[in-house]
Amino acid sequence: MKHIFFTILTVFSSLFLAPGSADAKVRVFACEPEWASLAQSIGGNLVEAYSATHAAQDPHYIRARPSLIAKMRRADLIICSGAGLEEGWLPVLLQKAGNTKAQHGGPNFLLAANLVPLLETPVTLDRSMGDMHAQGNPHVHLNPHNIPPIATAIVERLKVIDGANLTTYEQNYETFLARWIAATSRWESEASDLKGRRIVTHHKSWTYLIDWLELKLVNTLEPKPGIPPNSSHLEQLLAQVNEAPVLAIVRSPYAPDQGSKWLSGKTGIPEAILPFTVGGEDEVTDLFSLFERTLDIFDGAVDAKS
Amino acid sequence: MTSRTAGAIVLLTLFSSPHASADEQEGITALQMEIEALQTEFANRISVLEAKLARLQGLPEPAAGAPLQPSKDTTPIITNKSAQEDPIQSASLTAPVAPATSGRRIFGNEFNPSVGIILNGAYRDYSSEMSEMAGFPIGHEGERGKEGFSVDHSELNFAANIDDKFSSKVTVAIAEHEGETEVELEEAFIQTLAGAGLPDGMSVMFGRGFWTLGYLNEHHNHADDFADRPLTNRVFLNNTFNDDGLEVTYILPADFYAEIGGGLFLGDDYPFGGADGGGVGAWSLFARTGGDIGYNHSWRLGAYLLSGSADNGRSSNDDDIFFVGDSDLYVADIRYTWAPTGNPRQKELTFQSEFFLNQEDGTYEDSALASGLVMFDEQSSGWYAQGVYKFNPNWRLGLRYSRLAPADTPAALFGGALDAADHDPQALAIMADWTNSEFSRLRLQYSLEELSDGQEDNQFTLQYIMSLGAHGAHKY
């Protein structure tokens, strides 16, 4: 019996000991699709960006799956949101994978939340307030002004990791940034009529978008962060919305739809299912189309109202 | 500003009139100048503070202690200075930045040990007074839980990175045994971090831990999907194998997940026992692989061997049964998860199964039978399979079946605890649990256990599992 076990073990190990595909691309492990997309924009075809989550998943509730351990094991650059968003699974991956490049504070490890000013940093912390992030709200990618500092950090890291292609990264980065800044000011002029509009959201995933567009968050469908909507809270919300109407009920593709459907049915206020991240809709293939589609959906809601 | 000058200003303001004398006028002017000077000074101080704040916010990862690169002169580092030299970068930085509501940075307690307390208690009701496992030696932990109210699995965890090379974890369980409260050291180990200088993919764990052996053994009770462990783990491992030892694991450098590893142990914990402290009493070897199928399915398969000896004997069944000899325990496990909507937060189906094969070679003694030493070279086996369906973020339903196949009983042990009398112990469990948040869960479980022939035991368990403090890990 033992001989059979040893044979199986030896065959198994030798099958996998041969190193995998040895292409020279820089392997980027991104925790969320927005960072994979940003790294791909800057790295072009010199990098291979992998996203641990897809747009339909809530990035907080992910298991440290076997496939993620294998990806982390061979990653050259790790980009995550940080601020506690991945605290359930990222530490497990780092521990299991044993990748010397994947270390907190090291040059191959980037946390976006450490590069931009965070909103909603709580002054007091108590679990009765729901799923709170001590450092602040981690969904930082939804303000276009947060993208440039993160892009800068990515290009600096890529230049160190793959010095041979330094000039290409530099060029890609400059092209990206010029396009991004132009697009940001275009979006801002287009979206000026959204200023001060009132909205309801499912979860506090939209803080940075609301802050950027100067929208007014009336309330969330979740009574507390991470706690699913319940009927008493929804009734209260209905009264609040009837008193002063809102533009739209906003949710992400991964949020459950019962709460927003119910409120929309009662009030006639449209649901706005915003893509939230790259891949949230078929046509949202990068960060540019993410913001374009988001503003289009808001425009639709404004037009429907007037 | 002293209170006296403040008082003087108030008085002067009150009593100064348009017809003030030249002396008074002079005094007022002097005071006005003094106030202006103070205002300018404060304005300067505020602007200095504002500049400091802006600089802190602009810097990359100010909290991370380690520098990006060893040398600041030769390698590019992102600072405000370099941004000013680069027109594009400075454009991005001078563009209006979203204001932060607060500049305060509050961190979790990652730098100190993260402390977690698990409150795990239950109310259990059993229909059968007896719960004898036919044909198997069974340790104390493997027996069914205490009837009535109990808080028997409450535990205290401390975990932290020690430095850049090591992390550690300590778990202390507070258990009640026969009316006495006991403190048990369940885990106390150090583990290497990626920076420890080992080859990529390798990790070493040293101390006492829940070692890699099948699916459940490395998990804590409170992470289980059912209120009790399946029969296999209760019988073959006395619930958990957490001997003192050392384990090395290595993730192979493949695109696909493949892990191999092995451990050396004292050989004092069930299924071994009576280690006299001399050398290594047990060892293990294992291999696992797994992956994703599309976006929403993932799986893992493993094979494990735990081998060792109970040279000075292992007692079980309340010290009635005594075994001296070698045992080889082979384990195979499979786990499969499926998120029907693509988002496991909403709906998820998990399936897992483990198979155990135990070969024992030595002598058994049943003191209740006064059997004397009986030669024993037999194998027993067992398996369980379970499915758990989360149909919304708060509710889950689960079904589990476990069954054991006892060893052939030597004639000298007939009529005793090791005599299965042609009965295969089996158990069926159905559970429903309600999860309010990641930190609290309530569970109701019904089990039908038939551990010996004709001994049907209907069990009801109401269980709570709550965690205070540290955020738990989402293991696969």
Side-chain angles (χ1 to χ4, degrees):
Chain A
M1 186 75 193
K2 261 184 196 163
H3 299 292
I4 303 169
F5 187 85
F6 290 142
T7 317
I8 293 171
L9 208 68
T10 318
V11 171
F12 175 81
S13 310
S14 48
L15 266 179
F16 288 105
L17 258 178
S21 55
D23 54 26
K25 285 190 179 184
V26 176
R27 279 182 289 259
V28 175
F29 180 102
C31 287
E32 288 84 22
E34 58 266 22
W35 309 131
S37 168
L38 184 57
Q40 199 74 67
S41 306
I42 294 166
N45 49 20
L46 295 171
V47 308
E48 189 186 302
Y50 170 80
S51 175
T53 56
H54 58 79
Q57 289 175 330
D58 184 335
H60 187 79
Y61 297 87
I62 297 295
R63 289 179 200 276
R65 299 194 308 271
S67 57
L68 298 187
I69 296 170
K71 289 286 181 190
M72 179 62 88
R73 162 79 168 81
R74 285 158 56 81
D76 298 308
L77 176 62
I78 293 98
I79 311 170
C80 293
S81 290
L85 184 60
E86 303 96 355
E87 71 181 328
W89 49 282
L90 185 59
V92 183
L93 289 185
L94 294 176
Q95 213 306 307
K96 274 301 254 184
N99 181 347
T100 42
K101 291 171 190 157
Q103 291 182 60
H104 271 286
N108 305 52
F109 193 90
L110 259 183
L111 292 179
N114 289 357
L115 300 168
V116 296
L118 295 189
L119 298 176
E120 293 177 347
T121 304
V123 176
T124 54
L125 270 181
D126 188 309
R127 287 263 158 79
S128 68
M129 300 188 296
D131 196 1
M132 299 294 287
H133 295 281
Q135 236 181 301
N137 190 309
H139 307 286
V140 298
H141 68 285
L142 285 176
N143 183 339
H145 295 286
N146 285 342
I147 300 300
I150 297 159
T152 312
I154 292 174
V155 76
E156 294 301 335
R157 308 298 169 102
L158 284 176
K159 279 153 64 181
V160 173
I161 293 165
D162 184 19
N165 292 306
L166 191 143
T167 46
T168 315
Y169 293 125
E170 195 77 51
Q171 281 162 10
N172 289 350
Y173 164 74
E174 284 177 12
T175 316
F176 172 82
L177 211 57
R179 264 187 77 198
W180 188 259
I181 289 163
T184 304
S185 50
R186 192 176 68 239
W187 295 329
E188 281 172 358
S189 62
E190 279 169 17
S192 55
D193 59 335
L194 289 175
K195 197 177 283 185
R197 298 279 190 161
R198 295 154 52 84
I199 60 163
V200 169
T201 68
H202 178 85
H203 180 70
K204 287 216 163 190
S205 330
W206 309 95
T207 303
Y208 293 87
L209 185 74
I210 290 166
D211 184 59
W212 173 54
L213 295 174
E214 296 178 53
L215 294 162
K216 279 216 165 62
L217 177 64
V218 174
N219 209 332
T220 57
L221 295 172
E222 291 182 338
K224 284 165 185 178
I227 308 287
N230 57 49
S231 51
S232 64
H233 179 73
L234 286 178
E235 288 291 348
Q236 189 195 331
L237 198 57
L238 178 65
Q240 201 179 356
V241 167
N242 280 336
E243 206 168 279
V246 299
L247 176 66
I249 304 159
V250 172
R251 68 174 165 89
S252 64
Y254 66 67
D257 58 3
Q258 296 95 323
S260 63
K261 278 227 160 72
W262 180 85
L263 190 62
S264 175
K266 286 268 182 192
T267 57
I269 298 164
E271 279 186 285
I273 304 153
L274 302 184
F276 187 69
T277 184
V278 177
E281 278 183 26
D282 287 344
E283 60 250 56
V284 176
T285 51
D286 59 9
L287 288 166
F288 290 97
S289 42
L290 170 64
F291 282 97
E292 269 146 28
R293 270 301 289 158
T294 302
L295 292 181
D296 277 356
I297 294 168
F298 271 128
D299 281 348
V302 172
D303 290 346
K305 217 162 185 208
S306 51
Chain B
M1 195 188 299
T2 64
S3 58
R4 193 178 293 171
T5 40
I9 293 168
V10 172
L11 281 174
L12 275 168
T13 325
L14 281 174
F15 292 105
S16 63
S17 67
H19 307 291
S21 71
D23 271 11
E24 282 174 325
Q25 195 61 55
E26 215 169 277
I28 291 167
T29 320
L31 270 171
Q32 277 173 341
M33 282 168 71
E34 199 177 314
I35 291 166
E36 270 168 29
L38 279 169
Q39 279 175 338
T40 331
E41 196 192 326
F42 276 118
N44 285 341
R45 279 194 196 171
I46 285 166
S47 59
V48 166
L49 283 174
E50 277 173 349
K52 264 189 193 168
L53 189 66
R55 201 160 63 238
L56 282 172
Q57 287 175 339
L59 276 176
E61 301 188 43
L68 296 181
Q69 284 298 311
S71 161
K72 290 200 172 190
D73 300 327
T74 52
T75 47
I77 293 183
I78 323 118
T79 62
N80 282 350
K81 194 166 154 260
S82 71
Q84 275 154 18
E85 286 156 11
D86 182 335
I88 294 175
Q89 272 180 339
S90 63
S92 75
L93 287 170
T94 48
V97 169
T101 47
S102 163
R104 292 181 61 177
R105 309 199 71 174
I106 302 172
F107 292 95
N109 45 8
E110 297 98 17
F111 289 103
N112 295 310
S114 77
V115 178
I117 297 172
I118 307 290
L119 297 171
N120 186 350
Y123 176 81
R124 299 188 186 88
D125 181 72
Y126 302 138
S127 71
S128 165
E129 273 186 31
M130 302 287 283
S131 179
E132 298 297 329
M133 184 83 74
F136 285 90
I138 186 164
H140 179 76
E141 298 290 330
E143 291 167 12
R144 67 179 187 187
K146 202 181 103 188
E147 200 168 6
F149 288 103
S150 68
V151 290
D152 49 1
H153 284 296
S154 302
E155 62 178 48
L156 188 58
N157 301 299
F158 300 90
N161 289 344
I162 293 169
D163 54 20
D164 59 326
K165 293 189 167 44
F166 303 101
S167 69
S168 66
K169 186 173 179 193
V170 175
T171 302
V172 176
I174 299 141
E176 200 135 313
H177 280 171
E178 286 151 11
E180 281 184 38
T181 305
E182 291 175 8
V183 175
E184 279 174 34
L185 189 61
E186 285 198 336
E187 283 182 302
F189 63 81
I190 60 150
Q191 193 166 24
T192 56
L193 290 171
L198 294 171
D200 263 9
M202 189 176 280
S203 166
V204 177
M205 190 168 149
F206 196 174
R208 177 179 298 182
F210 294 149
W211 304 107
T212 313
L213 185 70
Y215 182 82
L216 281 174
N217 195 64
E218 60 189 295
H219 289 81
H220 283 247
N221 273 318
H222 59 81
D224 287 4
D225 296 321
F226 291 84
D228 54 355
R229 289 260 149 124
L231 296 182
T232 47
N233 297 60
R234 286 164 59 183
V235 160
F236 296 116
L237 300 172
N238 194 20
N239 263 6
T240 310
F241 178 65
N242 61 335
D243 209 351
D244 295 354
L246 180 152
E247 187 178 271
V248 181
T249 59
Y250 181 61
I251 311 282
L252 299 173
D255 287 330
F256 210 63
Y257 164 76
E259 183 182 7
I260 52 171
L264 301 172
F265 309 105
L266 178 63
D268 200 31
D269 192 36
Y270 209 91
F272 314 110
D276 51 12
V280 170
W283 55 269
S284 75
L285 269 181
F286 66 88
R288 318 201 251 223
T289 182
D292 291 342
I293 307 164
Y295 270 138
N296 305 327
H297 305 255
S298 53
W299 59 278
R300 196 185 76 187
L301 262 177
Y304 315 77
L305 165 60
L306 177 66
S307 177
S309 54
D311 285 335
N312 294 319
R314 168 196 84 202
S315 56
S316 59
N317 306 56
D318 293 326
D319 296 337
D320 279 351
I321 305 287
F322 198 66
F323 171 74
V324 180
D326 300 330
S327 54
D328 293 328
L329 182 62
Y330 297 87
V331 185
D333 73 335
I334 181 170
R335 181 166 163 93
Y336 162 79
T337 60
W338 174 44
T341 57
N343 182 9
R345 160 85 161 133
Q346 293 302 319
K347 283 187 169 66
E348 189 183 34
L349 178 72
T350 62
F351 171 83
Q352 85 194 34
S353 181
E354 293 183 62
F355 172 77
F356 288 68
L357 178 71
N358 190 25
Q359 294 180 330
E360 288 182 320
D361 185 1
T363 59
Y364 263 108
E365 188 182 355
D366 186 339
S367 55
L369 287 179
S371 69
L373 295 182
V374 180
M375 294 300 288
F376 190 91
D377 185 5
E378 299 289 344
Q379 68 177 35
S380 55
S381 64
W383 62 275
Y384 78 90
Q386 69 173 56
V388 176
Y389 183 53
K390 171 157 85 179
F391 54 95
N392 78 33
N394 297 126
W395 287 94
R396 307 190 311 162
L397 281 177
L399 184 68
R400 181 184 71 194
Y401 179 72
S402 38
R403 190 181 182 97
L404 302 173
D408 291 335
T409 319
L413 295 171
F414 279 165
L418 293 179
D419 182 4
D422 287 331
H423 177 78
D424 287 355
Q426 55 174 332
L428 179 75
I430 300 165
M431 77 88 193
D433 64 22
W434 176 68
T435 309
N436 181 51
S437 71
E438 281 193 281
F439 306 97
S440 69
R441 176 171 283 169
L442 291 173
R443 175 179 293 141
L444 188 64
Q445 180 172 321
Y446 164 75
S447 310
L448 175 61
E449 284 189 358
E450 209 181 334
L451 305 187
S452 319
D453 201 17
Q455 179 192 272
E456 277 195 11
D457 190 6
N458 290 289
Q459 308 179 338
F460 290 92
T461 307
L462 176 65
Q463 187 193 21
Y464 65 83
I465 306 158
M466 315 253 161
S467 75
L468 267 82
H471 190 285
H474 305 169
K475 287 184 177 172
Y476 180 67

